[in-house]
């Protein structure tokens, strides 16, 4: 690449979200297949491969082979994918159902030198969908095209009443793609706190202002009992954040503490 990649960037490229949704409607329902990472999600996380690596174990699985169109990649989808002027390893429609969640994880293969770069094109989404990268919510809207460095910690929570559907693209690095990412940086909206992060921040403030509560929580030496106590106190105070929000905040806190000693 021609410059250091950012954690995320909104590319200048735009898609017709209404046309993408119409194309979704004609896909057969039985084409949606459960995601292979069954241990990392709750609810419906499923997908349809439009292009898949030749050596992929399943159409939704990663691979290092050449990307090949599947039977679902009709003329409409070929035209959309053809707008990306770089080689595509895979193109998948990924659906996260209402109330579904994908646990925090890192796609380490995307962080290797020369590795593919992942783009997301939201097709069906709204404010109730929270895509968190490094613990902060990336504000992706339908029809936009985003680069995301998913070798970093990330997770998704769909708090809404409709399925979230993204077109997810793994692309070979190229000068065109680097130029798109760089050109989009100036216009990329900042990440923001999720609703869980906001509630946790308020809870942390209350703990810091309450010496007795601070001492009570500090007395827990077991991680599980500490987490249970925090969530119980938060619920009693009317503050809603999840165990995943708590774990993410603690991980981020440890990382920030360590990084202050790195020169």
């Amino acid at each position: 690449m021609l410059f250091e990649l950012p954690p995320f960037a909104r590319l200048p490229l735009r898609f017709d979200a209404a046309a993408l949704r119409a194309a979704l409607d004609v896909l057969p329902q039985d084409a949606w297949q459960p995601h292979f990472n069954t241990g990392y999600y709750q609810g419906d996380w499923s997908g349809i491969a439009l292009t898949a690596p030749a050596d992929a174990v399943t159409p939704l699985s990663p691979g290092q082979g050449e990307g090949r169109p599947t039977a679902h990649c009709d003329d409409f989808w070929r035209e959309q994918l053809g707008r990306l002027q770089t080689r595509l390893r895979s193109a998948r429609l990924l659906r996260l159902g209402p109330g579904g969640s994908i646990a925090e994880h890192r796609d380490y293969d995307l962080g290797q030198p020369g590795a593919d770069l992942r783009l997301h094109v939201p097709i069906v989404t709204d404010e109730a969908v929270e895509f968190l990268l490094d613990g902060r919510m990336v504000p992706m809207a339908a029809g936009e095209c985003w680069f995301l460095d998913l070798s970093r910690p990330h997770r998704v929570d769909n708090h809404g009443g409709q399925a979230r559907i993204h077109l997810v693209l793994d692309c070979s690095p190229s000068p065109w793609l680097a130029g798109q990412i760089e050109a989009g940086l100036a216009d990329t909206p900042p990440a923001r706190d999720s609703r869980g992060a906001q509630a946790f921040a308020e809870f942390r403030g209350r703990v810091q202002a309450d010496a007795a509560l601070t001492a009570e929580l500090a007395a827990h030496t077991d991680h599980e009992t500490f987490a249970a106590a925090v969530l119980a106190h938060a619920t009693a105070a009317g503050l809603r954040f999840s165990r995943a929000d708590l774990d993410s905040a603690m991980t981020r806190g440890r990382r920030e503490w360590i990084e202050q000693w790195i020169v």
Side-chain angles (χ1 to χ4, degrees), residues 80-104:
Q80 305 307 310
L81 301 182
R83 298 181 61 200
L84 293 133
Q85 299 171 35
T86 192
R87 188 175 63 177
L88 288 181
R89 181 92 59 193
S90 72
R92 299 170 292 170
L93 297 164
L94 292 180
R95 178 177 69 185
L96 182 63
S101 62
I102 302 170
E104 183 167 279

Side-chain angles (χ1 to χ4, degrees):
M1 301 299 290
L2 303 179
F3 67 103
E4 185 175 353
L5 288 169
F8 58 86
R10 184 176 65 181
L11 278 57
L13 193 62
R14 293 289 185 275
F15 289 81
D16 184 338
L20 294 176
R21 286 195 297 271
L24 289 177
D25 291 340
V26 301
L27 290 168
Q29 282 303 305
D30 60 4
W32 293 95
Q33 299 297 310
H35 197 278
F36 57 88
N37 266 338
T38 55
Y40 283 89
Y41 68 90
Q42 294 183 328
D44 169 30
W45 188 25
S46 53
I48 298 175
L50 300 174
T51 296
D55 58 343
V57 177
T58 72
L60 294 178
S61 301
Q64 295 303 310
E66 288 293 317
R68 294 178 177 173
T70 72
H72 299 296
C73 193
D74 60 17
D75 289 345
F76 173 82
W77 291 111
R78 287 177 186 270
E79 180 182 353
Q80 305 307 310
L81 301 182
R83 298 181 61 200
L84 293 133
Q85 299 171 35
T86 192
R87 188 175 63 177
L88 288 181
R89 181 92 59 193
S90 72
R92 299 170 292 170
L93 297 164
L94 292 180
R95 178 177 69 185
L96 182 63
S101 62
I102 302 170
E104 183 167 279
H105 66 286
R106 304 172 70 157
D107 297 318
Y108 288 101
D109 56 316
L110 297 176
Q112 301 301 313
D116 290 341
L117 305 179
R118 183 160 295 169
L119 304 180
H120 274 238
V121 178
I123 301 174
V124 182
T125 191
D126 57 36
E127 288 290 323
V129 176
E130 296 188 328
F131 193 117
L132 276 67
L133 179 66
D134 286 335
R136 302 263 293 165
M137 191 172 75
V138 182
M140 294 185 281
E144 297 177 344
C145 183
W146 288 73
F147 160 73
L148 303 166
D149 178 3
L150 298 186
S151 67
R152 297 167 177 265
H154 60 281
R155 77 172 210 259
V156 189
D157 296 311
N158 184 357
H159 301 290
Q162 66 174 346
R164 179 222 73 162
I165 302 177
H166 282 194
L167 173 61
V168 179
L169 307 150
D170 284 354
C171 310
S172 295
S174 69
W176 176 84
L177 185 51
Q180 287 283 307
I181 295 171
E182 190 168 23
L185 283 175
D187 188 43
T188 297
R192 58 179 186 259
D193 286 339
S194 66
R195 64 179 70 180
Q198 293 174 23
F200 178 79
E202 183 173 345
F203 178 75
R204 184 172 57 185
R206 294 190 187 190
V207 172
Q208 291 171 340
D210 186 333
L213 181 55
T214 299
E216 178 190 331
L217 294 177
H220 290 287
T221 57
D222 176 76
H223 182 77
E224 294 301 319
T225 57
F226 170 78
V230 167
L231 293 173
H233 278 292
T235 300
L239 298 173
R240 298 184 60 185
F241 56 84
S242 67
R243 172 64 186 268
D245 292 317
L246 174 60
D247 288 344
S248 178
M250 294 176 68
T251 299
R252 195 163 58 253
R254 283 194 295 270
R255 185 168 63 243
E256 291 172 355
W257 188 87
I258 292 171
E259 288 176 349
Q260 70 177 320
W261 306 107
I262 298 175
V263 296

